[in-house]
Amino acid sequence: MSDEIAYARIHPAIGIARVGNSTRPDGWFYGPEVPEPPAEAPGFYKDEQGAVKRQAARFRIYGYDADGRAVRELTPGDPDTAIEWQVHLANTKAAWYEFRLPNDIPDMKDVQVPQRNAKITDRASLIIDPGPKSINATDRTPVEFTGGSFLGTPVPLGAMHTDQDGHLVVLGGAGTSRNPHGDNLVSFGNNDGWCDDTADGPVTATVSIGSRRLTVEPAWVVVAPPNYAPDVKTIRTLHDELVDVFVQAGTLQAPKRVSFARDVEPILRRFCELQWVNKGFATAFGFGGPQHFLDPAALARLGSTADRDRELRRQVYTSLRDHARDGLSPVPWPWFYGDGMSSRPSSPLQYLALSPTQDGLLLAWMNGDFDPDGDAAGTPLRLADAPVADQPDLLDRAALDFCLADAFHPGCEVTWPVRHTSMYRSPLRLKHRADGTPGREYGPTLGQAQVLAADGPLQEQGPGDLTRWMAVPWQTDTVSCRSGYESAAGLGPRYDPYLPTFWPARVPNHVLTERDYRTVNKETGRPTEDERADAFANRASWLRGLHGSPTDQLAQGVAEWYKFGIVEVRPYTVGDGRYPDRLQVESVPGFPLEGVPDSANLVAIHVDAATAAQDSAVAAAAGDVLALTGLAPHEVTVGYFDKLDPLGLER
């Protein structure tokens, strides 16, 4: 049986685990293993005490023949097969450099970025590295990622075990951020003296079949923040981004023939599904909205090659952002902030565009050069339902389809370095730095020339190298990725408090509450049709449980991140067709919300640091905002948001 196997690969190539603070033995779950998994039941993602469950990354090994085709999965249950797994997680954020903007964009050409914790000379004390850990595939005893510390304080990074079939299961940290010396939180992403328990690192395996030891291509695991909207995909997923990276490099090929079902409808669907996490998208693209692409009549026209529908396709395509055409306009789709977002826009990267590969698919669709019926069957609901030869690609895609590539500011799971082919040995599969080889030191500051050099940090990767570019601690960026950001100077009748937005598919902006769902679904009282319509249209600010100044909210986010609601799929059971068959609803938050309006903390208005330091100046700015917008006092948070001043021009 082993003769047909030439080598093996671990899948997914990049696995995604997520932190959680549930301490129950069953307080975790497997991450997606197919691109379109069935929704979990309401209440699934938190335990009975309201703690967030951890998402596990599960890894499998597939044997490949000499032609590069997956022949079968390898497990210790196979005759004469032995498997040993090894994982080396680390968190190196605090010893790396501050995040300002992606170091590879024009905005950063002449910017030197300082080290985090620059005053600490013992740089090793800032690195949480428990060292490599091994486990035999037949040993069900968990192995803890302990032994690492931050400034002398032990920091566990999670654990791993194997399941009954010998698959590796990696669980990340508890979501706890630490501050041994009492430093204040002052930034969305660069807080000296702080650490968290996200991490990343290589996943390797030793596989023997009888006396023969196979070559096994390794994988990587990333331990990321929680996914607060697990059934929503963003418009440009991390899988979309990485496929585009390799298509542009010539390593992968875009589809030779565009399929509406496979290539176009999913992008249109994502615009509509964002209705559950952003009120602006709900109004324009949601159920009953003017651009509700999923309406059966609209979808039939969008999927038609008929010449009579050409102008409809053209209007959709030309509504999408083209940086060369649109410059700094926020109007084109998608209504997302981009890699270069700041309160003083200086480049078209202020806003996001779809990837060139996505754009090419949609251009062919606009021109009618597509198959309206191809691949209509979609992907399987379970990995076991797919042919073995298809399973590796499904695992690779599923892990990355629920991650963000819009925008890398810095992002939720990983950030901009992943779009450089120099980091990969093959598509989606990272180059590993040799065991025991330390990463290069670059000095007190890091500039674009160093980053992009042939001996820079975008080459072979070691433990902690993917997440080192991310925010520290992760919670401060989570509570900073909002919608409708504006400076006080930019307000006027064309200001939209809901759009543009950062990352709503992972960190919601506005949500359908449990209370409103029960009204829509006729579970409370005897609501009139107007009351049901009002409830469906209402969206509560997901951040309404936060209070105080921007820095107060950073601290509360770090302490109470698990209290935010998680957007879950609920059935619409009335059966009258007035609303979607599936609604996505915020689980009841853990914050005390009695008397808190749904629109509390809705708007974030940025002022310079000098204004933010004076209570009277903040009050005056808030008054101006209320006069210009008609918003209520509870809806407005005014302060200095360093996320909007990445180059420090307003400090």
Side-chain angles (χ1 to χ4, degrees), residues 20 167 193 275 385 413 423 505 564:
H167 304 132
Q275 69 179 295
D385 295 335
E413 297 87 9
M423 302 205 4
F564 288 110

Side-chain angles (χ1 to χ4, degrees), residues 407-598:
F408 287 142
H409 199 284
C412 284
E413 297 87 9
V414 292
T415 188
W416 63 271
V418 299
R419 61 187 173 208
H420 289 265
T421 57
S422 58
M423 302 205 4
Y424 299 88
R425 58 186 290 166
S426 61
L428 308 188
R429 204 166 290 272
L430 292 157
K431 294 177 184 175
H432 291 211
R433 194 165 65 237
D435 289 344
T437 303
R440 183 185 167 192
E441 296 183 4
Y442 297 94
T445 63
L446 187 67
Q448 188 175 93
Q450 291 171 292
V451 168
L452 301 180
D455 59 351
L458 305 185
Q459 308 300 320
E460 295 175 333
Q461 300 295 293
D465 282 2
L466 287 192
T467 54
R468 63 185 172 179
W469 307 89
M470 307 302 289
V472 56
W474 66 266
Q475 296 98 329
T476 54
D477 204 20
T478 293
V479 300
S480 298
C481 55
R482 308 184 182 205
S483 65
Y485 267 127
E486 187 56 88
S487 68
L491 293 172
R494 290 184 172 86
Y495 168 67
D496 189 333
Y498 303 109
L499 296 165
T501 175
F502 273 122
W503 317 333
R506 297 286 71 79
V507 183
N509 306 134
H510 323 104
V511 290
L512 185 67
T513 65
E514 169 82 13
R515 178 198 66 238
D516 286 333
Y517 164 72
R518 292 174 67 83
T519 298
V520 171
N521 206 41
K522 292 187 175 181
E523 294 180 10
T524 54
R526 302 175 69 178
T528 65
E529 291 308 316
D530 280 348
E531 289 170 334
R532 295 175 70 206
D534 288 345
F536 182 75
N538 186 49
R539 295 291 188 272
S541 169
W542 188 71
L543 295 174
R544 65 194 183 280
L546 299 182
H547 50 77
S549 69
T551 51
D552 291 337
Q553 293 181 16
L554 296 180
Q556 187 182 356
V558 168
E560 301 182 347
W561 59 271
Y562 59 92
K563 294 184 179 180
F564 288 110
I566 294 179
V567 177
E568 306 168 325
V569 173
R570 304 287 184 95
Y572 178 61
T573 60
V574 177
D576 58 5
R578 288 181 176 271
Y579 299 100
D581 292 337
R582 300 191 340 157
L583 300 93
Q584 296 201 36
V585 181
E586 175 199 47
S587 66
V588 177
F591 300 103
L593 293 177
E594 184 175 355
V596 175
D598 283 351

Side-chain angles (χ1 to χ4, degrees), residues 264-287:
V264 178
E265 190 269 355
I267 297 175
L268 302 178
R269 176 175 294 276
R270 293 173 197 170
F271 275 88
C272 299
E273 292 302 310
L274 288 170
Q275 69 179 295
W276 307 118
V277 288
N278 179 278
K279 185 169 182 175
F281 276 90
T283 302
F285 300 99
F287 186 82

Side-chain angles (χ1 to χ4, degrees), residues 10 19 118 266 299 358 524:
I10 301 172
V19 299
L299 196 61
Q358 288 177 309
T524 54

Side-chain angles (χ1 to χ4, degrees), residues 144-264:
E144 303 286 333
F145 296 122
T146 53
S149 62
F150 175 75
L151 296 176
T153 299
V155 180
L157 295 180
M160 66 178 174
H161 65 270
T162 58
D163 66 14
Q164 61 185 8
D165 296 314
H167 304 132
L168 175 69
V169 180
V170 178
L171 291 163
T176 303
S177 295
R178 293 168 173 82
N179 174 330
H181 296 162
D183 303 87
N184 291 327
L185 292 159
V186 296
S187 169
F188 78 97
N190 303 301
N191 292 288
D192 284 354
W194 284 83
C195 74
D196 60 33
D197 54 9
T198 62
D200 71 279
V203 177
T204 57
T206 301
V207 179
S208 298
I209 302 178
S211 60
R212 181 185 172 210
R213 183 165 171 171
L214 292 179
T215 298
V216 182
E217 293 189 11
W220 207 268
V221 63
V222 172
V223 179
N227 182 349
Y228 290 103
D231 294 285
V232 179
K233 289 186 182 181
T234 193
I235 291 172
R236 188 182 72 179
T237 72
L238 185 56
H239 184 263
D240 293 328
E241 176 73 1
L242 295 189
V243 167
D244 178 71
V245 165
F246 291 102
V247 168
Q248 302 309 312
T251 311
L252 293 177
Q253 288 187 339
K256 294 181 180 179
R257 175 72 172 171
V258 172
S259 158
F260 181 76
R262 182 193 63 216
D263 303 316
V264 178

